[in-house]
């Protein structure tokens, strides 16, 4: 009896399981992208700073004690303005000494000239031998050379005295001061920095992957002004910065607005020289096969593969040939799809 009951229970359970419908696997949900634009000639924008093309670390050509500083950081200066002065007391004494040496050399030359003229007259009368005349001629030549030497030393002293005044060699602005009144400085020691305002530039930093497609000109906009200016690339640093791994690029401004000042924030907008093609995310490229390919979603929401030609990598994007505007491509999970598979599509975005 117990055995019969067990058989009936098993048959009932088997019959109940057979009534359940088979499970239907849902199509996978994929992220897609609608290819909307051809070409990758979008603007690349880099932030930068307005700088002067010429930044001069100025110094005295002689050493001494600073007795006057006529400028401060940020001071606007003009060509010929006196920026700093040294104590010239010792150099004035050197000038006096040089002038005294000139007077002494002139007196010696006059004496040598009179002696030479006298003995030349005696020689013409055969009163002295030629050797005596030669000795006085040599004394005259030596006195003449001594005067030339004294005059040269005096000119050097005059120059040294003029070097006690640090003069602005161009219109500009003082960006740094490294010495103060009362400080004793050596010849060639930098005491201030003069940034010339006659030619302004914008300095930006460009990642290494953007250098090959960087244009030769840019449109510069300023955070503090609604005006803009064009600029040409003048200089690209030959080596990347060790910390940021970016390259310093200098752009010369063409007719910058008069309101633009040194240190202002600027943005440089380049029209990229990238190759023509379709720009898609790298995640959309399936490289599980020998050739790169993408998955195209058709109107029935099934996926098909299509081989593409990768022409250029641009950061997290790739420029490819082989797909067209308006096509829908899968951008995530491409390595898990199979040919002809039904998928569910989320909300699409455009390239």
């Amino acid at each position: 009896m117990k055995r019969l009951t067990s058989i009936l229970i098993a048959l009932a359970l088997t019959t109940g399981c057979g009534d359940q419908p088979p499970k239907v696997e849902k199509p996978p949900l994929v992220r897609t992208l609608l290819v909307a634009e051809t070409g990758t000639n979008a603007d690349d924008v880099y932030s930068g700073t307005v700088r002067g093309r010429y930044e001069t670390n100025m110094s005295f050509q002689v050493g001494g004690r600073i007795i006057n500083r006529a400028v401060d950081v940020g001071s606007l200066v003009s060509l010929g303005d006196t920026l700093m002065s040294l104590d010239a007391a010792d150099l004035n004494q050197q000038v006096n000494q040089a002038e005294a040496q000139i007077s002494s050399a002139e007196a010696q030359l006059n004496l040598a000239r009179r002696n030479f003229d006298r003995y030349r007259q005696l020689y013409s009368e055969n009163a002295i031998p030629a050797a005596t005349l030669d000795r006085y001629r040599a004394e005259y030549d030596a006195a003449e050379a001594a005067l030339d030497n004294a005059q040269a030393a005096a000119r050097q002293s005059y120059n040294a005295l003029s070097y006690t005044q640090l003069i602005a060699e161009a219109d500009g602005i003082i960006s740094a001061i490294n010495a103060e009144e009362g400080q004793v400085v050596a010849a060639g020691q930098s005491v201030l920095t003069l940034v010339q305002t006659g030619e302004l530039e914008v300095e930006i930093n460009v990642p290494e992957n953007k250098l090959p497609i960087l244009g030769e000109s840019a449109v510069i906009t300023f955070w503090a002004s609604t005006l803009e200016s064009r600029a040409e690339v003048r200089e690209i640093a030959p080596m990347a910065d060790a910390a940021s791994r970016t390259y310093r690029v200098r752009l010369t401004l063409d007719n910058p607005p008069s309101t633009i000042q040194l240190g202002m924030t600027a943005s440089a907008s380049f029209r990229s020289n990238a190759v023509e093609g379709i720009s898609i995310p790298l995640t959309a490229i399936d490289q599980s096969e020998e050739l790169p390919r993408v998955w195209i979603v058709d109107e029935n929401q099934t996926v098909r593969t299509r081989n593409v030609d990768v022409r250029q990598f641009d950061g997290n994007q790739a420029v490819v040939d082989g797909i067209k505007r308006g096509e829908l491509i899968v951008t995530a999970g491409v390595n898990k799809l199979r040919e002809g598979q039904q998928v569910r599509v989320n909300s699409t975005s455009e390239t």
Side-chain angles (χ1 to χ4, degrees):
M1 189 67 177
K2 291 182 178 179
R3 183 176 179 183
L4 179 60
T5 302
S6 299
I7 292 173
L8 292 174
I9 292 173
L11 289 174
L13 290 175
T14 303
T15 303
C17 292
D19 293 340
Q20 294 180 355
K23 290 184 178 180
V24 179
E25 183 180 355
K26 280 188 177 183
L29 180 65
V30 296
R31 181 178 299 172
T32 57
L33 183 72
L34 181 63
V35 178
E37 297 180 0
T38 58
T40 59
N41 289 337
D43 288 344
D44 292 327
V45 181
Y46 306 95
S47 60
T49 306
V50 178
R51 307 286 295 270
R53 177 172 181 176
Y54 300 104
E55 300 182 6
T56 306
N57 293 323
M58 302 193 67
S59 60
F60 290 99
Q61 291 181 250
V62 294
R65 183 174 61 88
I66 298 174
I67 60 172
N68 181 50
R69 175 168 67 83
V71 293
D72 297 307
V73 173
S75 296
L76 292 172
V77 299
S78 301
L79 174 65
D81 288 351
T82 299
L83 310 179
M84 282 187 180
S85 302
L86 294 179
D87 186 357
D90 291 340
L91 293 176
N92 280 322
Q93 293 302 319
Q94 292 179 12
V95 168
N96 294 336
Q97 182 180 6
E99 291 176 344
Q101 290 175 349
I102 289 177
S103 298
S104 175
E106 287 176 343
Q108 293 296 328
L109 178 61
N110 291 332
L111 176 60
R113 182 185 295 111
R114 289 194 297 270
N115 286 337
F116 177 59
D117 291 341
R118 185 181 303 114
Y119 280 91
R120 185 168 54 185
Q121 181 65 31
L122 292 174
Y123 177 74
S124 64
E125 297 172 357
N126 294 322
I128 59 171
T132 301
L133 180 63
D134 290 341
R135 184 174 70 253
Y136 283 97
R137 180 184 287 111
E139 290 178 358
Y140 173 71
D141 292 340
E144 195 172 40
L147 177 59
D148 292 339
N149 184 62
Q151 291 174 339
R155 287 192 293 270
Q156 187 175 13
S157 298
Y158 298 146
N159 289 339
L161 184 60
S162 68
Y163 295 153
T164 59
Q165 304 292 317
L166 191 62
I167 306 298
E169 299 178 351
D171 297 343
I173 186 171
I174 304 301
S175 64
I177 293 179
N178 306 319
E180 297 294 338
E181 291 185 22
Q183 183 175 342
V184 177
V185 295
Q189 178 181 340
S190 176
V191 294
L192 58 82
T193 302
L194 173 65
V195 181
Q196 297 184 23
T197 54
E199 190 169 351
L200 297 179
E201 295 187 337
V202 171
E203 181 177 296
I204 62 175
N205 294 289
V206 178
E208 58 187 63
N209 66 316
K210 292 293 186 178
L211 279 182
I213 59 175
L214 191 69
E216 296 180 356
S217 63
V219 175
I220 308 298
T221 56
F222 305 94
W223 184 80
S225 173
T226 58
L227 302 176
E228 63 181 34
S229 175
R230 293 198 62 82
E232 301 293 330
V233 174
R234 181 183 65 83
E235 176 185 278
I236 299 177
M239 294 184 62
D241 181 82
S244 64
R245 305 309 304 167
T246 58
Y247 288 80
R248 179 177 57 83
V249 177
R250 286 269 191 149
L251 302 103
T252 301
L253 290 171
D254 181 19
N255 296 323
S258 59
T259 56
I260 299 307
Q261 302 295 329
L262 294 171
M264 283 187 172
T265 302
S267 294
S269 178
F270 288 86
R271 192 65 176 174
S272 175
N273 289 332
V275 298
E276 293 291 334
I278 299 292
S279 179
I280 62 174
L282 291 178
T283 55
I285 300 177
D286 183 0
Q287 301 189 38
S288 59
E289 300 294 332
E290 183 177 352
L291 296 176
R293 60 182 184 172
V294 296
W295 291 88
I296 307 292
V297 182
D298 61 21
E299 62 276 6
N300 298 321
Q301 293 194 349
T302 58
V303 291
R304 306 288 180 184
T305 59
R306 185 184 300 168
N307 292 336
V308 293
D309 179 20
V310 180
R311 303 188 62 186
Q312 184 178 15
F313 292 101
D314 183 12
N316 293 324
Q317 300 286 114
V319 181
V320 301
D321 284 338
I323 54 179
K324 301 176 182 179
R325 177 177 178 175
E327 291 187 310
L328 197 63
I329 62 173
V330 179
T331 60
V334 293
N335 59 333
K336 297 180 179 180
L337 300 176
R338 62 181 184 273
E339 191 75 19
Q341 184 178 6
Q342 191 85 22
V343 294
R344 290 181 296 145
V345 178
N346 68 346
S347 58
T348 60
S349 59
E350 294 187 352
T351 58

Short mmCIF file of all heavy atoms in Angstrom, two decimals, residues 24-44:
data_model
loop_
_atom_site.label_atom_id
_atom_site.label_comp_id
_atom_site.label_asym_id
_atom_site.label_seq_id
_atom_site.Cartn_x
_atom_site.Cartn_y
_atom_site.Cartn_z
N VAL A 24 12.04 31.50 -21.60
CA VAL A 24 12.55 32.17 -22.81
C VAL A 24 13.65 33.15 -22.39
O VAL A 24 13.43 34.02 -21.55
CB VAL A 24 11.42 32.92 -23.54
CG1 VAL A 24 11.97 33.63 -24.77
CG2 VAL A 24 10.31 31.95 -23.92
N GLU A 25 14.82 32.99 -22.97
CA GLU A 25 15.96 33.86 -22.63
C GLU A 25 15.78 35.24 -23.24
O GLU A 25 15.49 35.38 -24.43
CB GLU A 25 17.26 33.23 -23.15
CG GLU A 25 18.50 34.04 -22.78
CD GLU A 25 19.76 33.41 -23.30
OE1 GLU A 25 19.66 32.28 -23.87
OE2 GLU A 25 20.82 34.02 -23.19
N LYS A 26 15.90 36.27 -22.41
CA LYS A 26 15.76 37.64 -22.90
C LYS A 26 16.99 38.02 -23.73
O LYS A 26 18.12 37.65 -23.40
CB LYS A 26 15.65 38.61 -21.73
CG LYS A 26 14.27 38.68 -21.10
CD LYS A 26 14.25 39.81 -20.09
CE LYS A 26 12.85 39.96 -19.50
NZ LYS A 26 12.79 41.10 -18.55
N PRO A 27 16.77 38.81 -24.81
CA PRO A 27 17.92 39.31 -25.56
C PRO A 27 18.76 40.22 -24.68
O PRO A 27 18.23 40.94 -23.82
CB PRO A 27 17.29 40.09 -26.72
CG PRO A 27 15.91 39.57 -26.83
CD PRO A 27 15.49 39.17 -25.44
N PRO A 28 20.07 40.21 -24.83
CA PRO A 28 20.92 41.06 -23.99
C PRO A 28 20.68 42.54 -24.30
O PRO A 28 20.37 42.93 -25.42
CB PRO A 28 22.34 40.64 -24.37
CG PRO A 28 22.21 40.09 -25.76
CD PRO A 28 20.86 39.44 -25.81
N LEU A 29 20.82 43.36 -23.25
CA LEU A 29 20.70 44.80 -23.41
C LEU A 29 22.08 45.35 -23.76
O LEU A 29 23.07 45.10 -23.06
CB LEU A 29 20.20 45.43 -22.11
CG LEU A 29 20.03 46.94 -22.11
CD1 LEU A 29 18.95 47.38 -23.08
CD2 LEU A 29 19.72 47.44 -20.69
N VAL A 30 22.16 46.10 -24.85
CA VAL A 30 23.45 46.63 -25.31
C VAL A 30 23.40 48.16 -25.35
O VAL A 30 22.35 48.76 -25.53
CB VAL A 30 23.82 46.08 -26.71
CG1 VAL A 30 24.03 44.58 -26.66
CG2 VAL A 30 22.77 46.45 -27.74
N ARG A 31 24.55 48.73 -25.17
CA ARG A 31 24.69 50.17 -25.31
C ARG A 31 25.06 50.48 -26.75
O ARG A 31 25.95 49.84 -27.32
CB ARG A 31 25.77 50.70 -24.37
CG ARG A 31 25.97 52.21 -24.43
CD ARG A 31 27.01 52.66 -23.44
NE ARG A 31 26.59 52.33 -22.07
CZ ARG A 31 27.37 52.47 -21.00
NH1 ARG A 31 28.62 52.88 -21.17
NH2 ARG A 31 26.92 52.15 -19.81
N THR A 32 24.40 51.45 -27.34
CA THR A 32 24.61 51.74 -28.76
C THR A 32 24.95 53.19 -28.98
O THR A 32 24.79 54.05 -28.09
CB THR A 32 23.34 51.40 -29.57
OG1 THR A 32 22.24 52.14 -29.05
CG2 THR A 32 23.04 49.91 -29.52
N LEU A 33 25.43 53.45 -30.19
CA LEU A 33 25.80 54.80 -30.58
C LEU A 33 25.35 55.03 -32.01
O LEU A 33 25.59 54.19 -32.89
CB LEU A 33 27.33 54.98 -30.47
CG LEU A 33 27.88 56.36 -30.78
CD1 LEU A 33 27.56 57.33 -29.67
CD2 LEU A 33 29.40 56.28 -30.97
N LEU A 34 24.69 56.16 -32.25
CA LEU A 34 24.24 56.51 -33.58
C LEU A 34 25.30 57.36 -34.26
O LEU A 34 25.64 58.44 -33.78
CB LEU A 34 22.91 57.28 -33.52
CG LEU A 34 22.30 57.68 -34.87
CD1 LEU A 34 21.94 56.44 -35.68
CD2 LEU A 34 21.09 58.58 -34.65
N VAL A 35 25.84 56.83 -35.35
CA VAL A 35 26.87 57.57 -36.09
C VAL A 35 26.20 58.74 -36.78
O VAL A 35 25.35 58.56 -37.64
CB VAL A 35 27.57 56.65 -37.11
CG1 VAL A 35 28.61 57.44 -37.90
CG2 VAL A 35 28.21 55.47 -36.40
N ALA A 36 26.61 59.97 -36.38
CA ALA A 36 25.90 61.15 -36.86
C ALA A 36 26.74 62.04 -37.74
O ALA A 36 26.22 62.74 -38.60
CB ALA A 36 25.37 61.97 -35.68
N GLU A 37 28.05 62.07 -37.55
CA GLU A 37 28.88 63.00 -38.30
C GLU A 37 30.10 62.30 -38.85
O GLU A 37 30.69 61.45 -38.19
CB GLU A 37 29.33 64.17 -37.41
CG GLU A 37 28.18 65.01 -36.90
CD GLU A 37 28.68 66.15 -36.03
OE1 GLU A 37 29.91 66.24 -35.85
OE2 GLU A 37 27.86 66.94 -35.56
N THR A 38 30.49 62.68 -40.05
CA THR A 38 31.71 62.17 -40.63
C THR A 38 32.82 63.17 -40.38
O THR A 38 32.59 64.36 -40.22
CB THR A 38 31.56 61.97 -42.15
OG1 THR A 38 31.22 63.23 -42.74
CG2 THR A 38 30.50 60.94 -42.45
N GLY A 39 34.03 62.64 -40.36
CA GLY A 39 35.18 63.53 -40.15
C GLY A 39 35.42 63.75 -38.68
O GLY A 39 34.55 63.63 -37.84
N THR A 40 36.65 64.10 -38.35
CA THR A 40 37.02 64.37 -36.97
C THR A 40 37.66 65.74 -36.84
O THR A 40 38.44 65.98 -35.95
CB THR A 40 38.01 63.30 -36.47
OG1 THR A 40 39.16 63.32 -37.31
CG2 THR A 40 37.39 61.94 -36.48
N ASN A 41 37.33 66.64 -37.73
CA ASN A 41 37.92 67.97 -37.68
C ASN A 41 37.21 68.85 -36.67
O ASN A 41 36.72 69.92 -36.97
CB ASN A 41 37.89 68.63 -39.06
CG ASN A 41 38.87 67.98 -39.99
OD1 ASN A 41 39.83 67.37 -39.55
ND2 ASN A 41 38.63 68.09 -41.28
N ALA A 42 37.13 68.38 -35.43
CA ALA A 42 36.53 69.17 -34.36
C ALA A 42 37.59 70.09 -33.77
O ALA A 42 38.78 69.92 -34.00
CB ALA A 42 35.96 68.25 -33.30
N ASP A 43 37.14 71.05 -33.00
CA ASP A 43 38.06 71.98 -32.37
C ASP A 43 38.70 71.34 -31.15
O ASP A 43 38.00 70.74 -30.31
CB ASP A 43 37.34 73.26 -31.98
CG ASP A 43 36.98 74.10 -33.19
OD1 ASP A 43 37.54 73.83 -34.26
OD2 ASP A 43 36.15 75.01 -33.07
N ASP A 44 40.01 71.48 -31.04
CA ASP A 44 40.73 71.10 -29.83
C ASP A 44 41.04 72.38 -29.08
O ASP A 44 41.65 73.30 -29.64
CB ASP A 44 42.03 70.36 -30.18
CG ASP A 44 41.77 69.00 -30.79
OD1 ASP A 44 40.77 68.39 -30.40
OD2 ASP A 44 42.56 68.56 -31.64
#
